[in-house]
Amino acid sequence: MSSAATALVKTAIALVTDPNARKTLGWILVAILSPLILLVAFLCCLGSGTANHNNAMADYCFYGNSYGGEVPSEFQGQMTAMRSAFSSLDSEVDSVNAIAESGVLDPTQIKAVYYVLCSDVNTDTNGFASCFYTLEERTRIVTTIDENGEEVESEEEYTVSLPYSLHTAYQQLSAFLGRNITEEEKEAVQSVYLRIAGNGGEGYDGGYLRGNAPSIELDISTFTDPDSKNASDLVAYAIHAWESGWGYVWGTYGNILTESLLEYKVEQYPDGVGQYEDFIRSNWLNGRATDCVGLIKGYGWLDPDSLAIQYGTNGMPDIGANAMYYNATVSGPISTMPDTPGLAVWMDGHIGVYIGNGEVIEASSTKKGVIKTQLTGRGWSHWLEIEYINYD
């Protein structure tokens, strides 16, 4: 054995037999390997296929929040690629929903499925969203005026999109991905979806105000026209909900959160409500509660005579935040928003009510409840006139 090799062997023996040397070697290895360990931990958490996804990762992918400088660059690239894939999926969903006659695709749900099943972001988004719908050719009778001024009827072919149930979509996705989708993965999708759609404001950590006059009484004394559903009274209703300190519970729309209603919601939404049950009991029980779109639907369903919020009344459909945006016939990017109190402001999976003076009332999240925030810097992407609300 050469003298150099002999020296190396002696050094190795010294390292493994001397406690102080072993400790020094350990710290050196940690310093060298810790970035790799951190990266592996992040990526394993992202692609684990369990309901225990890292909330910070989901928040960045869906909300675009800052992930901080401590995250390895490889992980930052992974998240940027995921957001790029989300953008492509949103574009396809927009096109499909534009030709829907009944039922629209939920972009948050589709992105939650992609987030869980395609965490390596190597899956081409082309064809992914098509697993959630089918196109159907139909014919209709159209009436035109000929050169003699007479009405002429003719058949016209057109295409509509029809959304699949989630069960059917998973069958289509299994064929698309070439593998079975496990129940564990489906549970993970539900967990991510409920975090984003059920708590659209959970990722927000900016400034906000809570109302300081808790009350369960409904007050319409400031309404301008209680017998109609109009933008001015929607603002008054939203401000009252904020001032009265309403809480947030997924699937509610302004009624008092009784024990029986809470138990029903826990059973109905074990992830979106059940995981917050202790907090809800301590903070929102026996007060009024709503979720983000429920704040708007509650106004639509309010009977001004009895002051009861009656589900599905007054022509206001029971739809989610995204469907409310996609159903709107008047809307636009937030940069084009007119200064009209009563407009809704929207981001994917979340909605609020613009009350004027650059302020918004929103049912934000389980931990925050109904809050007032600034319009700018909040992340709203679009504005809309709510169907069934009069903006004249």
Side-chain angles (χ1 to χ4, degrees):
M1 181 181 295
S2 68
S3 58
T6 301
L8 284 173
V9 171
K10 290 181 178 179
T11 301
I13 292 172
L15 285 173
V16 298
T17 56
D18 186 327
N20 292 329
R22 287 203 305 269
K23 184 181 293 186
T24 301
L25 177 62
W27 281 114
I28 292 172
L29 289 174
V30 167
I32 294 172
L33 297 177
S34 59
L36 178 61
I37 294 169
L38 181 60
L39 176 60
V40 170
F42 272 125
L43 296 181
C44 285
C45 183
L46 175 64
S48 63
T50 72
N52 193 29
H53 283 270
N54 183 278
N55 288 338
M57 286 185 262
D59 287 346
Y60 174 72
C61 287
F62 285 88
Y63 301 130
N65 291 357
S66 172
Y67 39 51
E70 74 279 2
V71 178
S73 59
E74 294 88 345
F75 176 73
Q76 295 176 19
Q78 187 92 349
M79 295 298 90
T80 300
M82 181 66 73
R83 284 186 58 80
S84 177
F86 279 5
S87 179
S88 298
L89 291 171
D90 280 337
S91 296
E92 183 171 351
V93 169
D94 286 346
S95 299
V96 172
N97 285 341
I99 58 173
E101 281 195 348
S102 61
V104 294
L105 298 177
D106 184 340
T108 303
Q109 185 176 69
I110 292 174
K111 288 185 288 189
V113 174
Y114 186 90
Y115 178 85
V116 173
L117 300 185
C118 307
S119 58
D120 61 2
V121 295
N122 290 324
T123 302
D124 193 343
T125 57
N126 290 331
F128 187 88
S130 64
C131 296
F132 292 81
Y133 67 92
T134 185
L135 298 178
E136 183 177 290
E137 299 296 328
R138 295 183 178 178
T139 59
R140 58 191 168 196
I141 302 297
V142 296
T143 302
T144 57
I145 305 298
D146 65 13
E147 64 273 12
N148 298 319
E150 297 180 353
E151 292 185 351
V152 177
E153 291 186 346
S154 61
E155 283 191 350
E156 177 185 75
E157 293 186 350
Y158 68 107
T159 303
V160 298
S161 63
L162 302 172
Y164 288 135
S165 68
L166 188 57
H167 174 74
T168 301
Y170 276 132
Q171 293 177 328
Q172 300 291 323
L173 285 166
S174 292
F176 177 78
L177 297 172
R179 66 177 181 84
N180 291 327
I181 297 170
T182 67
E183 291 302 317
E184 189 180 43
E185 288 174 318
K186 294 176 184 178
E187 291 175 3
V189 169
Q190 182 73 350
S191 178
V192 171
Y193 176 74
L194 286 177
R195 173 175 174 79
I196 303 304
N199 263 327
E202 191 67 45
Y204 176 63
D205 57 4
Y208 65 90
L209 293 175
R210 282 281 298 163
N212 57 8
S215 173
I216 62 171
E217 300 301 321
L218 287 176
D219 180 9
I220 64 171
S221 61
T222 58
F223 280 18
T224 59
D225 184 7
D227 294 325
S228 73
K229 298 301 176 182
N230 60 83
S232 176
D233 290 348
L234 172 60
V235 169
Y237 179 87
I239 291 175
H240 171 71
W242 169 66
E243 290 177 338
S244 300
W246 288 15
Y248 182 110
V249 176
W250 173 244
T252 60
Y253 44 87
N255 284 321
I256 296 173
L257 186 69
T258 61
E259 178 67 33
S260 59
L261 179 56
L262 176 56
E263 290 177 355
Y264 173 65
K265 290 302 173 184
V266 168
E267 180 181 359
Q268 188 178 17
Y269 304 114
D271 289 320
V273 177
Q275 65 175 321
Y276 300 104
E277 183 176 0
D278 290 343
F279 180 90
I280 292 170
R281 286 187 180 280
S282 299
N283 293 272
W284 310 136
L285 189 63
N286 297 320
R288 292 193 180 270
T290 183
D291 61 18
C292 67
V293 72
L295 181 64
I296 296 170
K297 292 187 294 190
Y299 167 70
W301 295 338
L302 177 65
D303 185 315
D305 296 322
S306 65
L307 293 185
I309 301 174
Q310 300 175 339
Y311 174 84
T313 55
N314 301 320
M316 174 71 77
D318 183 12
I319 55 178
N322 284 352
M324 187 168 285
Y325 167 70
Y326 286 112
N327 285 352
T329 56
V330 180
S331 62
I334 200 68
S335 60
T336 67
M337 178 178 167
D339 190 17
T340 304
L343 291 174
V345 287
W346 174 85
M347 66 179 77
D348 191 4
H350 190 50
I351 199 164
V353 178
Y354 178 64
I355 62 170
N357 297 318
E359 295 178 325
V360 173
I361 300 292
E362 56 175 298
S364 174
S365 66
T366 302
K367 298 295 181 67
K368 297 182 179 71
V370 175
I371 61 175
K372 180 164 70 174
T373 55
Q374 295 297 309
L375 174 66
T376 58
R378 175 64 181 89
W380 304 110
S381 62
H382 291 78
W383 62 271
L384 61 140
E385 290 187 358
I386 304 161
E387 295 293 292
Y388 309 102
I389 299 295
N390 182 6
Y391 287 87
D392 290 340

